Amino acid sequence: MADCIFCKIVAGEIPSDRVHEDPTCIAFRDIQPQAPVHILVVPRQHLARISEMTPQHEPLVGHLFHVATEIARQEGVSDQGYRLVINCGAHGQQAVDHLHVHLLGGRQMTWPPG
Ligand code: 5GP
Ligand code: ZN
């Protein structure tokens, strides 16, 4: 997608602080971190939102979550816990229309979310 900021990050056209890459996804630190650990796990393939998921995306979405748990371990937040978030659409306050999983950790989260 020509105008997609995360497609540009995947392609290396926009720099990012990468913590993981594999043939399916990359992960990089959020530019405006909301927690001491705030990492985005992003598929290389452009899929605008989780609501566009079909059965064929099940392995992809499963992989994103597995990678997020591995990065949480790598970042040292696994034992104390963390939050994995996917924002979807307007009410979900999704700002970038390219599927991504937020890994947030390193501080106490609150519930309900804002
Ligand atoms: P959303 O609201 O779509 O779930 O989250 C988008 C996230 O992407 C936000 O947390 C925002 O800070 C992050 N973000 C937006 N543009 C960039 C960028 O150019 N680089 C990085 N590293 N993060 C970005
Ligand atoms: Zn994209």
Side-chain angles (χ1 to χ4, degrees):
M1 287 280 286
D3 265 353
C4 172
I5 190 162
F6 283 1
C7 280
K8 287 181 179 162
I9 288 176
V10 165
E13 291 164 19
I14 294 176
S16 66
D17 185 0
R18 290 192 189 198
V19 298
H20 171 91
E21 48 191 309
D22 66 42
T24 304
C25 71
I26 67 168
F28 51 87
R29 296 188 194 280
D30 197 290
I31 206 166
Q32 260 193 300
Q34 303 301 317
V37 174
H38 188 175
I39 288 163
L40 304 173
V41 185
V42 177
R44 290 183 186 275
Q45 167 192 348
H46 181 93
L47 182 68
R49 326 166 145 193
I50 192 67
S51 57
E52 293 185 0
M53 185 182 174
T54 66
Q56 91 186 40
H57 297 115
E58 284 182 16
L60 171 68
V61 173
H63 183 72
L64 300 180
F65 277 96
H66 183 242
V67 165
T69 66
E70 293 290 347
I71 296 170
R73 243 185 299 278
Q74 203 174 287
E75 293 286 317
V77 299
S78 194
D79 289 347
Q80 285 196 291
Y82 50 85
R83 192 167 285 176
L84 301 181
V85 174
I86 295 179
N87 296 322
C88 181
H91 274 190
Q93 210 156 39
Q94 181 178 5
V96 177
D97 284 339
H98 179 130
L99 177 63
H100 50 283
V101 176
H102 294 257
L103 165 63
L104 294 148
R107 67 165 169 86
Q108 179 63 55
M109 300 294 155
T110 58
W111 195 264

